[in-house]
Amino acid sequence: MKNRILITVLMSVAICGCQKQQAESSAEPDSNIRAQFEQSDNQLSGYLDKLDSSTICMEERISILCNQYPEEYKNNYMPALLQLAPEEYTEKDLLRDLDNALNFYKLKANIQCS
């Protein structure tokens, strides 16, 4: 009986120790993903600030709407956000949000991407 209790306690300690170590090692990739997300979010905010400005030329507006913004969103922002909050967001929802944002600015500036 004492041997069973001792074995159970030792196994519990070993499992808890392994879980804590695993959680600590997974914290660094999470911080890297968070940094990627924040950097990408700042980049996208910069694009939106430019699109809201009346001083940028049409060529730059087209480049942002048709190339830069969708590339940054799909290649950096969306993957990081899906890793940080997979229970809150889906790829389908994020792509719909991207389309809504791009369509708003395209209609506002009368731009059609080829």
Side-chain angles (χ1 to χ4, degrees), residues 25-59:
S25 67
S26 68
E28 185 169 325
D30 192 45
S31 66
N32 291 339
I33 294 167
R34 186 169 307 284
Q36 175 188 340
F37 171 77
E38 290 174 3
Q39 180 181 5
S40 183
D41 187 53
N42 290 336
Q43 182 71 42
L44 293 176
S45 294
Y47 290 146
L48 293 177
D49 289 343
K50 287 182 180 181
L51 290 172
D52 287 331
S53 171
S54 61
T55 61
I56 69 167
C57 64
M58 186 57 82
E59 290 81 21

Side-chain angles (χ1 to χ4, degrees), residues 88-113:
E88 294 177 39
Y89 300 99
T90 65
E91 184 175 348
K92 182 180 174 183
D93 292 338
L94 292 174
L95 289 173
R96 186 184 63 238
D97 292 345
L98 172 64
D99 286 339
N100 290 338
L102 292 177
N103 288 335
F104 170 78
Y105 285 101
K106 287 177 188 177
L107 286 173
K108 182 178 173 182
N110 197 22
I111 294 175
Q112 294 181 357
C113 299

Side-chain angles (χ1 to χ4, degrees), residues 56-65:
I56 69 167
C57 64
M58 186 57 82
E59 290 81 21
E60 186 175 5
R61 196 176 297 272
I62 291 170
S63 177
I64 290 171
L65 284 174

